[in-house]
Amino acid sequence: QVQLVESGGGLVQAGGSLRLSCVASGSIFNIKHMGWYRQAPGKQRELVAAIISGGSTNYADSVKGRFTISRDNAKNTVYLQMNSLKPEDTAIYYCKLVVVITLFATNDYWGQGTQVTVSS
C-alpha cells in the first residue's frame, strides 16, 4: 500500500515563501509522475507542477517563474518551493503519485492535502 504525507503548508503574507514536502512510502516501483495539484474553494483541482521519471518538469502558467518542483529519489520525496506567493495561490495543495503497473495501466495515489493561505 502506498501512502503520501504532505507537510509545509501554512499562512504567509503575499510575497512570502513556503516549501511543501511530500513523502511517499510503501511498495513503490516504477514511478511515472509526481506532482502537486491545488484546489481553491469553489474551483476544480488543477495541476500546479509535475516532475516525470526522466526529470522533466511541467508548470501551470500561473506559477511559472515563482514555483519550483524537485524530487529526491533516494527519499521518495517531492518538494514544491513556492516564492513570491500571491493571495490567489491560496488553496489546499495535494501531492499526487502515478505508478506504472503494466504497459497500459497506472495507479494514482493522492495525499491528504495541506492548506496554503496567502494574506494580502
Side-chain angles (χ1 to χ4, degrees):
Q1 184 157 358
V2 175
Q3 287 189 323
L4 302 176
V5 178
E6 300 119 329
S7 62
L11 173 64
V12 64
Q13 287 188 332
S17 299
L18 285 173
R19 188 193 194 207
L20 305 183
S21 299
C22 173
V23 181
S25 61
S27 300
I28 303 170
F29 305 98
N30 203 359
I31 294 175
K32 180 179 181 180
H33 161 123
M34 291 189 80
W36 289 95
Y37 292 70
R38 67 186 180 187
Q39 187 166 19
K43 295 187 177 181
Q44 289 189 330
R45 191 172 297 188
E46 62 176 1
L47 172 70
V48 177
I51 185 165
I52 65 172
S53 58
S56 298
T57 57
N58 184 33
Y59 294 92
D61 288 342
S62 60
V63 307
K64 284 180 180 177
R66 299 188 298 122
F67 291 10
T68 303
I69 189 170
S70 61
R71 178 178 162 186
D72 185 333
N73 292 330
K75 297 181 179 179
N76 279 337
T77 301
V78 64
Y79 304 96
L80 185 68
Q81 178 65 44
M82 305 186 294
N83 298 328
S84 302
L85 283 160
K86 304 176 181 180
E88 51 263 44
D89 294 318
T90 295
I92 299 175
Y93 284 69
Y94 297 92
C95 177
K96 180 182 179 181
L97 171 67
V98 179
V99 177
V100 176
I101 302 301
T102 68
L103 185 60
F104 301 108
T106 59
N107 273 355
D108 294 354
Y109 301 94
W110 290 91
Q112 80 287 354
T114 184
Q115 177 71 46
V116 171
T117 303
V118 184
S119 63
S120 57

